């Protein structure tokens, strides 16, 4: 599996983006595990070896005035952060994204909490006909 880490700045140089693209998505899931890539995407935000608190990852990025998110498609799961284009902010964004993808805690508490969150998202998407058609 080839994982891709990308770091780039916007043309004006004020903001930088750090993105970790993992080539695993819904198409890689067995039917009985459908939704697992999306579920794992959620749980990886809930603490790592280097950032053990449930909000430590977000606090690190927000502390620089940035933001972070992730998404899962049929082909890829992408974890990304945007921060001011300073050395410290970019360094921390790289550390956060790498830590999420290499040393997640996967605590039982986080897993229990995120089950309900993902189930609610799936239910929401089922109410969107275009999305249901695309998934099928």
């Amino acid at each position: 599996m080839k994982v891709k880490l990308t770091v780039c700045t916007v043309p004006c140089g004020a903001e930088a983006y750090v993105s970790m693209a993992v080539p695993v998505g819904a198409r890689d899931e067995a039917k009985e595990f459908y939704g697992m890539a999306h579920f794992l995407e959620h749980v990886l935000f809930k603490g790592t070896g280097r950032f053990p608190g449930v909000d430590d990852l977000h606090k690190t990025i927000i502390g620089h005035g940035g933001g972070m998110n992730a998404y899962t498609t049929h082909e890829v799961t992408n974890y990304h952060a945007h921060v001011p284009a300073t050395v410290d902010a970019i360094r921390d964004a790289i550390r956060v994204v790498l830590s999420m993808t290499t040393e997640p805690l996967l605590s039982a508490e986080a897993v229990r909490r995120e089950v309900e969150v993902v189930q609610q998202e799936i239910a929401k998407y089922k109410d969107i006909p275009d999305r249901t058609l695309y998934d099928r």
Side-chain angles (χ1 to χ4, degrees), residues 1-59:
M1 173 180 354
K2 187 175 184 178
V3 176
K4 183 177 182 182
L5 175 67
T6 304
V7 180
C8 63
T9 58
V10 294
C12 68
E15 202 167 39
Y17 291 84
V18 174
S19 169
M20 174 70 77
V22 182
V24 175
R27 74 168 179 206
D28 300 298
E29 300 168 337
K31 187 175 183 175
E32 62 270 19
F33 294 108
Y34 184 70
M36 190 57 67
H38 181 206
F39 175 72
L40 185 59
E41 168 207 314
H42 277 250
V43 177
L44 293 189
F45 277 90
K46 303 303 178 187
T48 72
R50 188 175 296 184
F51 302 93
V54 109
D55 294 323
D56 287 354
L57 297 160
H58 279 288
K59 285 179 182 176

Side-chain angles (χ1 to χ4, degrees), residues 68-118:
M68 61 186 295
N69 210 334
Y71 62 86
T72 301
T73 68
H74 287 277
E75 297 81 23
V76 68
T77 303
N78 187 286
Y79 303 89
H80 51 95
H82 62 91
V83 292
T86 66
V87 171
D88 288 343
I90 294 168
R91 182 196 65 228
D92 281 349
I94 291 169
R95 287 180 179 161
V96 162
V97 171
L98 287 176
S99 187
M100 288 174 69
T101 56
T102 61
E103 56 179 11
L105 292 180
L106 303 175
S107 72
E109 172 70 20
V111 168
R112 276 193 296 278
R113 235 187 348 248
E114 292 308 307
V115 164
E116 186 173 319
V117 172
V118 171

